[in-house]
Amino acid sequence: MTHLLITRGAEAGTRIVLSGFPVSIGRDESNEVSLQDSEVSRHHARIKQNGRLFILEDLESKNGVYLNGDKILNSIVNNEDRILIGSTELVFFANAQDIHLAGDLMALEFSYSEDPELSQPLHLDREPPYSGAEPKRIVLSHAIDQISADYGATKEIFDCLTTFESRTDMKDLGQSILKSLGAMIPGCTKGCIFLWDSLGRNLVALSSLHFGTQKENFAISKRAHQDAINRKQALILIPNVTDSTIIGQARIIIPCMSRGEVIATIHLETSQPIHVLNSFAISQVIALAAKATPFIDNLVLRREQDVWLIGMIESMIATIEAKDTYTLGHSERVCKYSMGIADELHLNRELKKQLMISSLCHDIGKIGVPDAILKKAALLSNEEYEEMKLHPVIGAKIIEKLPNAKRFLGGIKYHHEKFDGTGYPEGLEGERIPFFGRIVAIADAFDAMISGRSYSGFMEAPEAIEKLHEEADLFDPEILKAFTRAWESGLVTQKSDTKAR
């Protein structure tokens, strides 16, 4: 709920709920917020909303409008900011706007199964016992030993592993593993790889594959997966047999082991009678699953590293936003606009992931800028501006120690470089400016204009885009065209998201 609390003046203690915007404030009773203060003009100020932003404007009042002690004409107002109108002080309250982009980063890194029936995690606690015959259990080491002396089977497994090495994201890896396993099982109709969350005891579908033209439902037995995980053994589920008629499909459940613990399970289904599933073919499938497990494990570990990295970055962003009211939400919006540009340029998933981190962190160096400069709502002096210009270098020094930092430093250190060479910190020109720096520069300039500051004013989005084109010599022309196309097509909006498209 958005509201104003009068903390000083004749009406101190009054709480005013703001149910809609724009909201005019003044002495005249026609205002949405009418104040009994002789020093307040009849129509003194206005608060309007643009997306998630709230803008405070001076309506050419006699005594001016002050935000956190600074006289302003047009500026963002944030949660718990103090507004002085005449002799009346009001505090603005709005719901906090936190950044939570870790899930979006993971959406770029991992594309889980698109089968609707597998879209929700499978929880494995307290599953009922088997309703039919007990499954056939296979010790993993015994299965691997069975094929180790067979040159043909070993070579086939090795050939499959060489294809896994080139896979850099989990969906591609999962699809490749399932294709290879399915080729070894006669009549294989479908397969799925689940990641195992041992803390929550959940299976999350990572990748699924249908080998036939018809996408039939999976016959998932949570009890069988729980059994395979607990015993660390593969299982074969034999279809029920009634009057010599086979009902259902044979299923194979294989646990994937790393450092003695299960990290995933593989579910395969086949339409062939059970006698066709000879033990050697099953052993070969189990051996390949075992050899493929390190590839899954590597990407899982990378995901955990990325979750840690983005969590630390979000903590730093939150620290800056607590220090600088203008920055609240700015980093997130610049990130979203940058991702829209990335989509328009058709960047691959890895580049998009690095750009997301780079754009999110672009202003992180402001943590090293003095509060008196950072929070100043008026125009900075030359000396103050020179100190503010240090924040890209400070940010780069903070970030450069993070894993793989060189991949995303460009948007942090060089987002204030200009294509004509007039920017800072190094005065780079044209394509000498790192690619991410050229993208973030446009996203940052656009958000600065539509967000507004006391010395620049607030612009509507079309006006801001027109302004970017008027100053086109400052930006990479191809990236500016991509941003414009993204905006015109609706790919970039003030409500745009960062999920993979």
Side-chain angles (χ1 to χ4, degrees):
M1 179 183 295
T2 306
H3 64 276
L4 293 168
L5 177 64
I6 301 178
T7 56
R8 192 173 72 207
E11 300 169 87
T14 303
R15 178 173 171 271
I16 305 166
V17 176
L18 307 181
S19 56
F21 292 91
V23 172
S24 62
I25 306 172
R27 194 176 69 253
D28 195 278
E29 292 184 357
S30 63
N31 292 288
E32 283 79 12
V33 177
S34 178
L35 300 176
Q36 298 177 13
D37 184 341
S38 60
E39 297 182 28
V40 171
S41 300
R42 292 181 64 250
H43 300 283
H44 199 113
R46 176 170 57 202
I47 300 175
K48 63 181 182 180
Q49 186 175 13
N50 187 55
R52 293 172 59 187
L53 298 177
F54 296 96
I55 313 297
L56 175 64
E57 297 177 316
D58 185 347
L59 299 179
E60 299 182 357
S61 65
K62 180 180 179 180
N63 296 324
V65 176
Y66 292 81
L67 180 65
N68 298 321
D70 291 307
K71 188 174 183 179
I72 63 99
L73 296 176
N74 185 322
S75 184
I76 291 176
V77 58
N78 290 297
N79 189 45
E80 298 186 22
D81 277 357
R82 293 183 176 273
I83 303 168
L84 182 63
I85 297 176
S87 60
T88 302
E89 183 184 70
L90 309 97
V91 179
F92 179 80
F93 290 97
N95 293 331
Q97 301 176 25
D98 296 330
I99 294 177
H100 297 291
L101 290 181
D104 291 336
L105 181 66
M106 291 304 100
L108 286 177
E109 179 62 19
F110 301 105
S111 299
Y112 294 135
S113 169
E114 297 176 357
D115 281 275
E117 61 181 309
L118 303 177
S119 62
Q120 297 298 319
L122 305 179
H123 190 68
L124 299 190
D125 275 350
R126 296 180 296 278
E127 290 301 314
Y130 294 107
S131 56
E134 286 287 308
K136 179 181 178 181
R137 297 183 175 88
I138 303 172
V139 178
L140 300 179
S141 59
H142 294 172
I144 296 171
D145 290 343
Q146 185 178 355
I147 60 95
S148 59
D150 187 290
Y151 172 77
T154 303
K155 183 180 184 304
E156 187 175 356
I157 290 174
F158 177 79
D159 290 342
C160 292
L161 296 180
T162 58
T163 65
F164 301 161
E165 289 177 350
S166 61
R167 309 301 178 180
T168 58
D169 72 84
M170 197 66 95
K171 181 178 181 180
D172 290 344
L173 176 62
Q175 294 284 301
S176 183
I177 291 173
L178 289 172
K179 285 179 182 178
S180 298
L181 293 173
M184 295 178 176
I185 295 292
C188 191
T189 57
K190 56 185 93 68
C192 182
I193 299 177
F194 293 94
L195 288 182
W196 171 236
D197 171 18
S198 58
L199 294 178
R201 295 196 61 77
N202 291 320
L203 287 172
V204 178
L206 170 66
S207 190
S208 61
L209 187 64
H210 296 258
F211 293 92
T213 56
Q214 293 183 343
K215 291 190 175 183
E216 300 174 346
N217 289 339
F218 281 81
I220 303 293
S221 168
K222 293 198 288 184
R223 177 68 182 88
H225 281 271
Q226 181 172 283
D227 195 342
I229 291 169
N230 291 343
R231 295 175 182 266
K232 299 178 181 178
Q233 294 179 343
L235 303 178
I236 299 178
L237 295 177
I238 303 171
N240 295 324
V241 178
T242 304
D243 296 329
S244 301
T245 301
I246 298 178
I247 302 174
Q249 299 188 5
R251 289 162 286 168
I252 303 172
I253 315 297
I254 307 169
C256 298
M257 307 288 297
S258 176
R259 297 177 294 277
E261 298 298 329
V262 177
I263 63 166
T265 63
I266 296 175
H267 170 100
L268 300 169
E269 298 182 24
T270 176
S271 60
Q272 294 296 311
I274 193 63
H275 68 272
V276 176
L277 299 178
N278 63 77
S279 61
F280 189 84
I282 294 172
S283 294
Q284 190 177 15
V285 165
I286 292 173
L288 177 56
K291 295 297 184 182
T293 298
F295 296 94
I296 298 174
D297 196 27
N298 285 340
L299 292 186
V300 169
L301 290 174
R302 191 173 74 179
R303 179 183 67 169
E304 292 176 353
Q305 182 187 67
D306 286 340
V307 170
W308 169 83
L309 173 64
I310 201 69
M312 186 174 68
I313 288 170
E314 287 181 340
S315 296
M316 288 190 284
I317 296 294
T319 301
I320 298 169
E321 293 191 340
K323 179 182 170 100
D324 177 22
T325 56
Y326 168 72
T327 307
L328 183 62
H330 170 69
S331 298
E332 182 183 22
R333 293 190 301 274
V334 169
C335 178
K336 291 176 178 179
Y337 303 143
S338 297
M339 296 306 294
I341 294 172
D343 287 336
E344 183 62 35
L345 293 174
H346 305 293
L347 300 187
N348 63 40
R349 186 174 298 164
E350 182 63 24
L351 279 175
K352 288 173 69 176
K353 185 185 75 171
Q354 300 300 336
L355 176 60
M356 179 181 287
I357 297 172
S358 188
S359 56
L360 183 60
C361 294
H362 77 283
D363 269 348
I364 214 158
K366 286 184 176 180
I367 199 169
V369 177
D371 284 359
I373 296 175
L374 199 61
K375 295 182 178 181
K376 188 174 181 180
L379 190 66
L380 299 178
S381 67
N382 290 336
E383 293 78 10
E384 290 170 334
Y385 182 57
E386 288 301 316
E387 192 156 1
M388 175 66 84
K389 285 166 62 176
L390 295 175
H391 80 267
V393 176
I394 296 172
K397 289 185 178 297
I398 292 172
I399 294 296
E400 65 184 5
K401 302 299 182 183
L402 295 178
N404 300 316
K406 290 182 179 179
R407 297 183 181 181
F408 50 84
L409 273 180
I412 299 165
K413 189 173 182 179
Y414 300 109
H415 67 279
H416 281 296
E417 297 287 0
K418 304 300 181 186
F419 209 68
D420 63 356
T422 61
Y424 62 89
E426 297 179 11
L428 300 180
E429 183 178 355
E431 293 187 1
R432 292 184 59 203
I433 305 170
F435 182 51
F436 286 177
R438 285 177 271 149
I439 292 177
V440 177
I442 292 174
D444 185 48
F446 176 74
D447 190 68
M449 286 187 279
I450 66 168
S451 300
R453 297 205 76 169
S454 59
Y455 51 83
S456 63
F458 170 83
M459 293 183 185
E460 297 292 344
E463 183 184 0
I465 291 175
E466 183 178 344
K467 183 71 172 177
L468 288 175
H469 283 276
E470 290 174 0
E471 301 178 346
D473 57 327
L474 303 180
F475 307 106
D476 184 309
E478 295 305 316
I479 296 176
L480 181 56
K481 289 177 185 176
F483 175 76
T484 305
R485 290 196 305 270
W487 182 270
E488 291 174 347
S489 67
L491 195 59
V492 170
T493 71
Q494 288 173 272
K495 296 182 179 181
S496 63
D497 60 51
T498 55
K499 294 189 182 300
R501 293 175 172 85

